[in-house]
Amino acid sequence: MKLGAVVGEIMQKNIKTVEMDEPIGKAAHAMKEEKIGSVVVMGGKHVKGIVTTSDIVYKHVAEGKGSTVSDIMTTDLVTITPDKTVEEAANLLTSKGVEKLLVFDAGALVG
């Protein structure tokens, strides 16, 4: 990665989504098939949350919580814009204690 890179240059652009009422297993299967660590949860055309592998392991498997992605999704989303530096993204991940950032540009999810 080049020094001074911005989020838009390194972000994952192929965003995998699931609907809020879908089974947790569907989200887990999508993550396995795509070799990714999260899926974005949609409510129609609106982003409602994110489900990570940690959400599945800690909330669903370890605690026995939920059957649909809406039962275990994280709704307090941490976002960034594609013009921010990778350093700013890293600082945000650390300060907020999260694994993933959603990238929005002009109100639209882009990464």
Side-chain angles (χ1 to χ4, degrees):
M1 179 178 350
K2 71 179 184 178
L3 192 61
V6 295
V7 170
E9 295 172 336
I10 64 155
M11 69 185 184
Q12 173 62 258
K13 296 177 179 115
N14 185 14
I15 305 160
K16 295 298 174 191
T17 64
V18 293
E19 287 293 321
M20 293 177 64
D21 60 350
E22 292 187 290
I24 294 167
K26 182 171 183 178
H29 182 73
M31 287 186 234
K32 180 180 183 252
E33 289 297 310
E34 298 293 327
K35 296 179 173 57
I36 55 177
S38 64
V39 290
V40 176
V41 181
M42 304 296 290
K45 294 182 180 184
H46 302 284
V47 174
K48 297 295 186 179
I50 189 169
V51 171
T52 66
T53 52
S54 294
D55 290 326
I56 293 171
V57 170
Y58 296 130
K59 296 175 185 175
H60 182 62
V61 176
E63 296 176 7
K65 184 177 179 183
S67 59
T68 65
V69 293
S70 64
D71 295 328
I72 64 164
M73 70 183 181
T74 299
T75 57
D76 187 17
L77 301 174
V78 181
T79 66
I80 196 164
T81 56
D83 62 324
K84 299 296 184 190
T85 66
V86 172
E87 182 180 4
E88 289 172 298
N91 289 336
L92 191 56
L93 287 165
T94 303
S95 68
K96 298 292 185 177
V98 296
E99 300 174 14
K100 308 286 181 183
L101 298 174
L102 294 182
V103 185
F104 282 86
D105 191 15
L109 180 65
V110 295

